[in-house]
Amino acid sequence: MTEGLKFKDLLSRFTNTRNETATSWTFYNLILHPRIENKLLEEITSHVTDEIENDPAALYETIKGMNYAHAVLYEVLRLHLSIPSNIKYALKEDVLPDGTHIQAGDYIGWSPYAQGRSIKVWGPDAKEFRPERWLTPEGEVRLEFEAKWPAFHARPRICLGREYFHHKLAMPYGMQDFVEQR
């Protein structure tokens, strides 16, 4: 396999999609943060053996339990959403959770990009790439309420890819080849 094809295969495996934006931002942040890169690589190498890598069902189950890998991707999505702003049109009157009244015909705009960096929403380290924010003190993955972290929007119009992302995440094991080639 040529180097170009190997790298492209690695990128597609990294997110189990062809979403080059998320993949690029993930690698970018890992290169900027060697501590996080090393911690992710440690999780990968401690969980994924050659035997597991060659057994898709076992690999899937293993990756589901790789909490730090999930935290890294959630942090990428918090800071680098594929849709940085959004506008909706109100078909009927409504009231937002904060009490704001919306009239039929109003447009409502918001910026998940700004929200992902908001100190009011995420605290004083909002602009820092810190995957640990997605982990409980016990190391379990902690997801945020959809209104705080709108990477997949919110109900009732939540992104169909949300469940795919959560259940078919197969990104991390290709990370070892990436780090070894750097």
Side-chain angles (χ1 to χ4, degrees):
M1 182 180 295
T2 68
E3 285 301 311
L5 288 176
K6 184 173 183 179
F7 186 69
K8 185 173 181 166
D9 180 56
L10 169 64
L11 289 178
S12 67
R13 287 183 186 187
F14 194 72
T15 59
N16 200 24
T17 68
R18 298 285 182 201
N19 186 341
E20 288 84 13
T21 303
T23 303
S24 298
W25 281 119
T26 302
F27 281 121
Y28 173 79
N29 279 287
L30 291 175
I31 289 168
L32 291 179
H33 302 92
R35 177 193 64 79
I36 295 168
E37 179 182 354
N38 290 333
K39 191 169 181 177
L40 178 60
L41 183 59
E42 182 181 309
E43 182 179 62
I44 293 166
T45 56
S46 69
H47 284 77
V48 181
T49 64
D50 289 341
E51 183 178 315
I52 289 174
E53 187 173 354
N54 294 315
D55 179 350
L59 180 61
Y60 173 72
E61 290 302 317
T62 299
I63 289 172
K64 281 188 348 186
M66 294 175 65
N67 294 341
Y68 197 73
H70 284 67
V72 166
L73 288 179
Y74 295 155
E75 188 70 348
V76 167
L77 289 177
R78 180 182 73 84
L79 292 170
H80 308 288
L81 287 104
S82 58
I83 301 174
S85 63
N86 208 331
I87 296 175
K88 296 293 182 193
Y89 177 78
L91 295 175
K92 60 182 183 174
E93 283 188 30
D94 203 351
V95 179
L96 297 179
D98 70 351
T100 303
H101 290 273
I102 306 299
Q103 301 299 316
D106 285 351
Y107 285 92
I108 306 297
W110 72 96
S111 174
Y113 177 89
Q115 187 175 344
R117 290 161 174 74
S118 172
I119 292 170
K120 288 182 180 179
V121 174
W122 295 99
D125 65 351
K127 293 180 177 85
E128 294 176 30
F129 184 77
R130 191 175 65 80
E132 290 79 9
R133 77 178 75 245
W134 297 96
L135 300 173
T136 67
E138 297 77 33
E140 296 299 315
V141 175
R142 179 181 56 81
L143 288 179
E144 291 292 349
F145 179 60
E146 295 156 351
K148 181 176 180 180
W149 183 60
F152 299 100
H153 292 287
R155 300 189 191 283
R157 291 179 180 84
I158 198 156
C159 175
L160 297 174
R162 179 178 180 251
E163 293 305 313
Y164 178 81
F165 178 83
H166 287 185
H167 296 294
K168 299 208 180 267
L169 184 66
M171 60 61 84
Y173 72 92
M175 186 60 203
Q176 185 172 358
D177 290 336
F178 169 74
V179 172
E180 288 171 358
Q181 290 178 14
R182 275 195 341 124

